[in-house]
Amino acid sequence: MSAFLELERSARACFRMAVLMGANTRTYKFALAESLLRFAGEGREEVPLEEFVEPYSMLLAEREREGAAHAPVGHQVGDADFLAVLRREAQASLALGHPTDQLREAAVRSVPAMVMKKFPNVGGAALPVPFYRVAGRKPNRTVVLTPEMRDVAAAEHIAGLRSENRARLSIVEASFDSGIGRGLVAGGVVADLAGGVLRDRRRRRSVARVDDAVRGFQHGRCLLCWEPLADGQEVAIDHVFPFALMDRHRSVAPWRGPDLDAVWNLAPAHRHCNATKSARLPTPAVQERLVLRNEAIIGSPYPLSKAVRGVRDAYGGWPALFVAVLGAYG
């Protein structure tokens, strides 16, 4: 936890930790993040629980319509479990444009008792920033959003955080799915730079956009200049160790170093920073940020961590991998 927070200790960094690094046993935490961002983004301080669970329920209903997996294959639930109610009520809720009474009641019952308790805990420890609390008694409970949560959802950050949350949701859904997930967990993901997306290595199916999937591990900052990647700015996926290294001796011999198109070496950056850097090697400061970023990815649940961990371990650590890059460059 401390390594990820080392470069930026803020409420926003803690929120990203909850989304990116919290345990994934179901997809509920991403729906909770959606509700938190929506109401905090509106500047709300208190939201009736019955209102708060509406975007939570509708996001999961939308994903149910798309056939997404909300839990690992083989996960059994009882008839009264929220997931069972969701499966029964999703279609009717989407037709209404709001949760059915049954789905709303199931969410009101389960959200405070389960996902709200687990969301602020990462690696068995509570995050140092409070985002919410539930106040009052049934049936008049409210969700109280803290000043820190409202700061997280400030206008200049909220669109990016929503995109990151949806990207992580998509990756986790894929890892739960019986067809794609086994390939993702076994082999990780690969980057399709032409489309700017991550794909399942085995079936080459799109999982999430590279920049949305990775930028949270950089605290939403350009890896090159470390300034924020603000909404509306042009973003490029930078080869930290430039792709040109693999091309240098191609006419003489094939590249024998690490794959520079892999996730470990790809970082969201301002387009102008990417253009200015061109084919130059990264500075020591950028290399250090890349290592911390990659270790944060490795510390997150499957499957994105698999793509980075395998490269690091194959070379015995980041220093040895960087030496291998430069050695292959000659």
Side-chain angles (χ1 to χ4, degrees):
M1 184 183 298
S2 60
F4 183 74
L5 288 174
E6 198 170 309
L7 292 178
E8 180 175 327
R9 303 185 67 85
S10 66
R12 196 160 56 255
C14 288
F15 187 83
R16 282 189 165 110
M17 284 194 72
V19 170
L20 298 172
M21 299 181 178
N24 299 326
T25 55
R26 298 190 184 186
T27 58
Y28 297 166
K29 73 174 181 182
F30 307 105
L32 176 61
E34 185 93 355
S35 285
L36 290 169
L37 289 170
R38 172 175 166 176
F39 291 114
E42 294 173 357
R44 301 278 293 275
E45 296 183 15
E46 292 192 25
V47 185
L49 181 59
E50 289 199 355
E51 181 183 358
F52 182 84
V53 300
E54 183 164 325
Y56 172 95
S57 302
M58 294 304 286
L59 172 60
L60 294 172
E62 290 167 7
R63 304 308 302 141
E64 177 70 17
R65 176 174 59 187
E66 298 299 321
H70 305 289
V73 172
H75 186 82
Q76 300 297 317
V77 298
D79 288 344
D81 186 274
F82 176 80
L83 187 52
V85 178
L86 175 67
R87 290 168 177 162
R88 294 194 298 268
E89 300 295 324
Q91 185 173 346
S93 296
L94 291 168
L96 289 170
H98 59 78
T100 62
D101 290 344
Q102 292 87 344
L103 184 58
R104 190 186 302 274
E105 289 169 7
V108 165
R109 182 175 64 250
S110 66
V111 168
M114 185 175 57
V115 65
M116 276 187 152
K117 290 184 176 180
K118 295 181 178 180
F119 185 83
N121 296 286
V122 176
L127 291 169
V129 174
F131 300 118
Y132 52 81
R133 63 184 176 87
V134 179
R137 296 179 178 274
K138 299 177 183 179
N140 298 313
R141 287 180 294 176
T142 62
V143 178
V144 180
L145 300 174
T146 64
E148 292 88 347
M149 186 63 234
R150 296 196 298 278
D151 181 61
V152 167
E156 64 268 30
H157 307 301
I158 192 167
L161 289 171
R162 279 177 167 159
S163 295
E164 291 171 27
N165 185 53
R166 290 294 184 107
R168 189 67 187 175
L169 169 60
S170 179
I171 291 171
V172 171
E173 286 173 340
S175 73
F176 286 163
D177 178 80
S178 60
I180 307 172
R182 290 171 189 162
L184 281 169
V185 172
V189 293
V190 292
D192 175 354
L193 292 178
V197 296
L198 297 175
R199 295 187 185 277
D200 165 39
R201 183 185 296 274
R202 187 170 297 174
R203 294 177 59 181
R204 307 295 295 180
R205 188 180 300 194
S206 294
V207 175
R209 292 196 59 79
V210 175
D211 112 341
D212 289 336
V214 175
R215 74 162 68 193
F217 294 104
Q218 300 172 192
H219 297 294
R221 295 177 178 271
C222 168
L223 196 76
L224 302 181
C225 72
W226 207 239
E227 291 299 315
L229 294 166
D231 294 341
Q233 287 183 310
E234 291 190 329
V235 174
I237 301 300
D238 182 72
H239 283 79
V240 184
F241 285 91
F243 179 83
L245 298 183
M246 294 198 294
D247 262 351
R248 185 180 182 210
H249 301 302
R250 183 162 290 179
S251 61
V252 178
W255 171 256
R256 299 186 183 279
D259 181 6
L260 302 184
D261 275 341
V263 174
W264 73 270
N265 188 50
L266 301 176
H270 293 119
R271 188 171 295 280
H272 64 269
C273 291
N274 172 261
T276 301
K277 171 179 171 272
S278 187
R280 289 195 295 273
L281 291 171
T283 65
V286 171
Q287 291 183 44
E288 182 179 356
R289 288 198 288 263
L290 178 66
V291 168
L292 290 173
R293 193 282 311 259
N294 284 345
E295 286 300 310
I297 292 175
I298 288 171
S300 68
Y302 283 126
L304 192 57
S305 59
K306 183 75 173 182
V308 178
R309 184 191 300 274
V311 176
R312 182 200 64 180
D313 293 352
Y315 287 87
W318 299 114
L321 184 144
F322 294 167
V323 169
V325 171
L326 297 178
Y329 172 61

